[in-house]
Amino acid sequence: MNSINMNSMNMNSRNIESLIKSASSHVGVSWPLDRSVAVNPLLDSYDKPFFVALTELERQLGEHLWPTVVHTTEAVKRGFNLPSFDSQKSSTPKLRPGTYFERGGEDIRAAQRVRALVGQLMLEATTMDNSANLDLISRAVHVLCSYTSWSGTSHKVHRELADLLVNKNLDELISGFGGWSEEQIVEEFRRHFARLPGWAAWAKWNDEWARDTHKAKISRAQFLTISLAADLVASSTTGAAPEVSAREQSKEGAARLVALENATYSKILQSLKIESVADAIPLLQVVTCIDVRSEPLRRALEVDPRVATFGFAGFFGVPAEITALGEAESYEALPVLVTPSLKVEALGAQFAPRDLELRVSELFADLTHEPQAMFALAEGAGWFGLPWIAYKKIRGLATPLPQTSPITVWQLDTENKADIAMGALQGMGLTKNFARFVAFLGHASRTSANPHYATLDCGACAGHPGGSSAQILADILNETGVRGELLLRGIEIPLTTTFLAGEHNTTTESVVMYSENASEVRELVQIFKGASDLLAQERDEKQRSISRSRRTLLRKSRDWAETRPEWGLANHVSFVIADRRTIRGANLGGQSFLHSYDVESDGDGAILRSILAAPVVVAHWINMSYYFSTVAPDLLGAGDKSLLNPVGDFAVIAGDDPDLRLGLPWQSVAAPTAPYHLPVRLMVVVQAPLDRIAGAIAAEPLVTQLVEGQWIRLVARADEADQWHEWVPAQGWSDTLYY
């Protein structure tokens, strides 16, 4: 082990904390699997322009992070008009800057062994039985003393590392770097984070985002202590201070990105030019989540002239921590940017008889989402798997999902029901001309043996199903007292209006309505069934009959070997904020988040500010998660799903690589032989007075950073008769579109 001078620098805990925070500005955040949400790996870099932050991340990771010629070629195949690009410049190999040990001149195999030592030690320490409630360092020392050799390193190295971890903390380790500046220490930290970005992201979540202590808790300071100590133990020479150098932006990569964006944006804007007319008060108004998978559903529903649709964040303005029926633990069903302000508990439901096969299928699907149960379930299922499969074959592969479900009785610990109702109705632009029925439609996925199942659920519900939030809001709005209070505030809901709730299964394209009286909603059920039939055929690449298309989707949702039960939010391009008249009739191809916005009822711009500051930010996170999972699938994405194994309940690893995998699996962004998701920044489209939009941008600091830093591209028009304008940083609105 290399000896270090422990007295040359005096660091205190506050200094260390500041250096760690600075070093982790380019580290992503990894949520546990059961509440996994898409997130921008660069969420702490909004003070820099997008191109600058991305170029810096490239330097730290040694990875090409721009769209390649493969992506532009695929876009041309889809009919987009793009310039040609030099394939030789598409993906220049880079090297990740070395850590303390890696700068010592050792060969690549030695560097891989030290990386494996750190990663496997993290893995063993976080997943061991912690009945004594030891901290991570103590568990790591226990692991080091229990194993003779793994990761290609000797037991002697393990003993020395254990001794160093027992006797030295992080500030003492840093004190040995005589003459290093704080900037160099930060750079050293960054390189350790970049060596194992998955573990770094998990540590960052525990430090900054976890509301409760996770059983596999690891802090960034603990991560750095172990990683740096391993380098010091393995080094035979004194490592030089790291050099901090800038990296030149890839002009070719940036050109490909902008060309892809211009081509895809143009198609969306052309679709929104369709003229539409106002409708009479319909029979049914449906409020869906803004999720891109709701756009085809809204389009299919509005084939029926009796239906009008709206878009709103899928937690429906209910800032709740929910305890579901029969569950001991609660979950937060709202955007992770928001703290829940009320608790809601399910008290019971009037259950109807359910098909036995459906009950068993749902039970098995739930078990395959539990990482600890997956392999045992697969092993034990063999005893009765053959008869079960044969039975399902005889029955036509699957039993259809129900179209109605009993209503759950919810208990709310709040007296502010009218405030919740008022905020929700104003936010979705539904404050007048109420239909006979108003249905709030949450959404959820239904998959089997899929550790990433939460990424297919509602992002606005923190990776959970949205049906519960829809029921809660419907219950609130059906209360006589709440309606009376709303009337005093200027919102009159007719006595004949009934609020209902349901849930859209995005995997099977089926809709279930919550009702205790199936006959009451029979007509509505048929409307939803007609729309979901259209969606099933639209999703079926072979364009078969409705029944065969439905069976295919249902099989995919229940097949343990299915790597792509649905595409999720892949191939999204834009976020549209507009009156429903602008959207009705526009075929946006499932590529747009759709948020309703009533210009007339938002004179002070407060609603627009809230849309830009919350739903747009969440959609931007989703956009960046898909972007980086596409351009760096094995580093910032989870890689090939068939190689992934769960780690506890909080992450996955690929094969024998000990780093946690970030982002989305490759099968979520690519087809077997070609890309599917085209990596572009989110285009935010707003139809509202331009000065109101400019005011909303200026009023929200984060939105200002997103727009001025070109993390998103903003396009707007005052009304349907106006031309489109694009926001140019430091200038404002430009009348010239470059696409």
Side-chain angles (χ1 to χ4, degrees):
M1 173 181 145
N2 171 48
S3 62
I4 57 177
N5 176 11
M6 306 306 298
N7 300 311
S8 59
M9 182 180 293
N10 182 21
M11 302 290 291
N12 58 47
S13 59
R14 177 173 294 181
N15 287 342
I16 292 289
E17 183 179 344
S18 175
L19 296 180
I20 291 174
K21 187 172 182 63
S22 178
S24 61
S25 62
H26 285 73
V27 173
V29 183
S30 179
W31 266 259
L33 292 173
D34 65 346
R35 70 203 85 160
S36 179
V37 295
V39 63
N40 178 13
L42 291 169
L43 65 91
D44 285 335
S45 298
Y46 290 135
D47 58 329
K48 303 174 183 177
F50 171 72
F51 284 10
V52 173
L54 185 136
T55 300
E56 173 62 17
L57 184 61
E58 280 192 315
R59 183 191 73 81
Q60 292 177 7
L61 298 178
E63 185 80 4
H64 180 89
L65 299 179
W66 301 94
T68 66
V69 171
V70 173
H71 299 117
T72 56
T73 301
E74 175 62 23
V76 170
K77 290 180 180 178
R78 298 184 190 180
F80 292 113
N81 183 23
L82 278 84
S84 60
F85 292 96
D86 184 355
S87 61
Q88 298 300 317
K89 298 181 181 179
S90 62
S91 183
T92 305
K94 304 294 180 182
L95 292 176
R96 173 177 56 81
T99 64
Y100 184 89
F101 173 76
E102 293 167 340
R103 294 194 303 276
E106 301 289 347
D107 62 41
I108 189 171
R109 288 176 296 180
Q112 290 172 341
R113 285 195 295 270
V114 175
R115 176 183 178 276
L117 169 63
V118 176
Q120 290 185 2
L121 185 54
M122 300 279 188
L123 190 62
E124 297 284 348
T126 53
T127 56
M128 69 175 285
D129 179 21
N130 187 28
S131 55
N133 294 320
L134 302 175
D135 67 16
L136 181 80
I137 299 296
S138 299
R139 298 200 305 271
V141 171
H142 174 82
V143 170
L144 287 167
C145 295
S146 302
Y147 286 79
T148 57
S149 177
W150 39 257
S151 77
T153 52
S154 67
H155 188 49
K156 177 177 179 293
V157 171
H158 292 190
R159 289 199 310 271
E160 291 182 353
L161 179 55
D163 181 66
L164 190 58
L165 291 176
V166 168
N167 292 290
K168 305 296 179 184
N169 57 30
L170 182 58
D171 59 338
E172 290 173 323
L173 294 177
I174 295 172
S175 296
F177 299 139
W180 286 25
S181 67
E182 288 193 354
E183 184 182 22
Q184 289 170 324
I185 294 174
V186 167
E187 176 65 19
E188 182 67 31
F189 286 176
R190 284 175 175 166
R191 296 185 181 193
H192 285 267
F193 287 144
R195 181 163 66 177
L196 292 165
W199 283 110
W202 173 239
K204 188 171 183 177
W205 178 82
N206 280 278
D207 277 350
E208 296 188 351
W209 292 89
R211 303 195 203 278
D212 300 306
T213 301
H214 194 278
K215 60 184 178 181
K217 182 182 186 302
I218 171 176
S219 71
R220 286 169 295 184
Q222 291 171 332
F223 171 93
L224 288 169
T225 301
I226 293 174
S227 184
L228 185 56
D231 272 26
L232 293 172
V233 166
S235 296
S236 58
T237 60
T238 301
E243 295 182 5
V244 184
S245 58
R247 179 174 177 175
E248 185 179 352
Q249 178 185 310
S250 169
K251 294 181 180 179
E252 184 79 6
R256 282 192 297 271
L257 173 62
V258 173
L260 268 179
E261 290 173 344
N262 291 348
T264 55
Y265 293 173
S266 178
K267 184 176 180 180
I268 296 295
L269 295 179
Q270 288 173 6
S271 298
L272 291 174
K273 290 180 179 178
I274 298 174
E275 295 183 3
S276 55
V277 295
D279 301 313
I281 297 177
L283 168 71
L284 172 65
Q285 291 164 327
V286 181
V287 184
T288 72
C289 183
I290 59 176
D291 190 289
V292 298
R293 292 165 292 180
S294 296
E295 185 269 321
L297 175 63
R298 292 179 61 179
R299 182 165 20 97
L301 283 168
E302 290 191 333
V303 169
D304 191 323
R306 299 173 297 170
V307 181
T309 68
F310 298 79
F312 190 62
F315 74 114
F316 297 105
V318 182
E321 179 182 335
I322 296 177
T323 303
L325 190 65
E327 298 292 334
E329 296 184 1
S330 61
Y331 64 90
E332 296 180 3
L334 73 170
V336 295
L337 294 167
V338 183
T339 302
S341 59
L342 73 150
K343 293 186 177 182
V344 184
E345 182 179 358
L347 299 181
Q350 179 184 342
F351 288 102
R354 300 287 298 278
D355 185 277
L356 177 61
E357 179 185 349
L358 180 61
R359 281 180 172 272
V360 174
S361 295
E362 290 180 343
L363 173 63
F364 271 75
D366 290 339
L367 288 175
T368 63
H369 289 162
E370 293 293 331
Q372 297 91 335
M374 285 183 180
F375 299 112
L377 182 64
E379 185 78 17
W383 291 103
F384 59 90
L386 182 60
W388 178 254
I389 292 172
Y391 170 72
K392 288 168 71 69
K393 287 286 186 182
I394 294 172
R395 289 290 305 273
L397 291 178
T399 296
L401 294 170
Q403 295 175 327
T404 60
S405 181
I407 294 176
T408 300
V409 179
W410 299 98
Q411 176 178 289
L412 282 68
D413 68 342
T414 180
E415 297 178 356
N416 299 325
K417 294 181 180 180
D419 293 336
I420 294 172
M422 183 83 174
L425 292 176
Q426 286 183 329
M428 62 187 65
L430 182 57
T431 58
K432 56 187 177 182
N433 298 328
F434 290 92
R436 171 69 181 86
F437 296 102
V438 179
F440 302 119
L441 207 62
H443 66 94
S445 66
R446 195 70 185 179
T447 59
S448 298
N450 178 17
H452 291 90
Y453 70 95
T455 65
L456 297 176
D457 282 338
C458 182
C461 300
H464 296 98
S468 297
S469 297
Q471 286 189 69
I472 294 166
L473 182 59
D475 287 351
I476 290 174
L477 284 165
N478 281 326
E479 290 189 16
T480 303
V482 171
R483 292 196 184 190
E485 180 63 29
L486 290 177
L487 181 60
L488 295 176
R489 301 184 188 188
I491 298 180
E492 181 178 1
I493 301 174
L495 296 175
T496 55
T497 294
T498 299
F499 291 92
L500 303 167
E503 192 169 77
H504 171 210
N505 185 326
T506 58
T507 314
T508 62
E509 298 296 2
S510 57
V511 175
V512 59
M513 293 295 298
Y514 298 112
S515 175
E516 296 176 357
N517 184 357
S519 61
E520 179 187 24
V521 295
R522 183 177 292 114
E523 186 176 11
L524 307 185
V525 165
Q526 291 305 310
I527 291 174
F528 283 116
K529 183 180 183 303
S532 59
D533 284 345
L534 290 176
L535 291 184
Q537 283 195 300
E538 185 175 312
R539 282 261 306 273
D540 189 351
E541 296 176 357
K542 296 183 179 180
Q543 297 293 302
R544 291 168 289 197
S545 66
I546 292 175
S547 60
R548 294 188 66 184
S549 297
R550 281 210 165 281
R551 285 201 301 270
T552 298
L553 296 182
L554 201 52
R555 177 194 60 76
K556 286 186 174 183
S557 74
R558 296 176 178 176
D559 188 347
W560 294 8
E562 178 59 58
T563 59
R564 191 185 299 105
E566 62 161 289
W567 277 113
L569 292 88
N571 217 28
H572 68 267
V573 173
S574 62
F575 188 112
V576 179
I577 305 169
D579 185 278
R580 55 174 291 271
R581 293 174 301 172
T582 303
I583 299 167
R584 187 178 181 112
N587 186 345
L588 301 176
Q591 295 182 289
S592 293
F593 300 89
L594 301 180
H595 200 299
S596 297
Y597 178 61
D598 183 10
V599 173
E600 295 180 1
S601 64
D602 186 34
D604 62 356
I607 295 174
L608 180 59
R609 291 198 300 271
S610 67
I611 295 172
L612 291 173
V616 166
V617 173
V618 172
H620 158 70
W621 278 16
I622 293 170
N623 171 256
M624 288 286 98
S625 179
Y626 273 86
Y627 178 96
F628 286 111
S629 295
T630 302
V631 298
D634 292 315
L635 188 62
L636 298 175
D640 186 350
K641 182 183 286 189
S642 65
L643 302 177
L644 301 180
N645 291 315
V647 177
D649 65 347
F650 64 95
V652 295
I653 58 174
D656 61 355
D657 182 59
D659 194 21
L660 306 181
R661 286 304 182 102
L662 298 167
L664 300 156
W666 180 240
Q667 285 84 351
S668 294
V669 295
T673 58
Y676 181 77
H677 180 74
L678 297 179
V680 298
R681 287 169 292 176
L682 186 70
M683 175 179 63
V684 178
V685 182
V686 186
Q687 182 166 303
L690 299 187
D691 58 346
R692 183 183 300 179
I693 301 171
I697 295 170
E700 298 291 339
L702 177 55
V703 178
T704 301
Q705 290 178 326
L706 292 179
V707 174
E708 289 292 333
Q710 295 185 295
W711 293 87
I712 60 177
R713 291 177 65 178
L714 180 64
V715 177
R717 66 183 180 187
D719 52 48
E720 293 180 11
D722 191 16
Q723 65 178 3
W724 292 110
H725 308 265
E726 182 166 8
W727 185 277
V728 178
Q731 297 181 30
W733 298 112
S734 170
D735 294 338
T736 302
L737 293 183
Y738 302 99
Y739 40 92

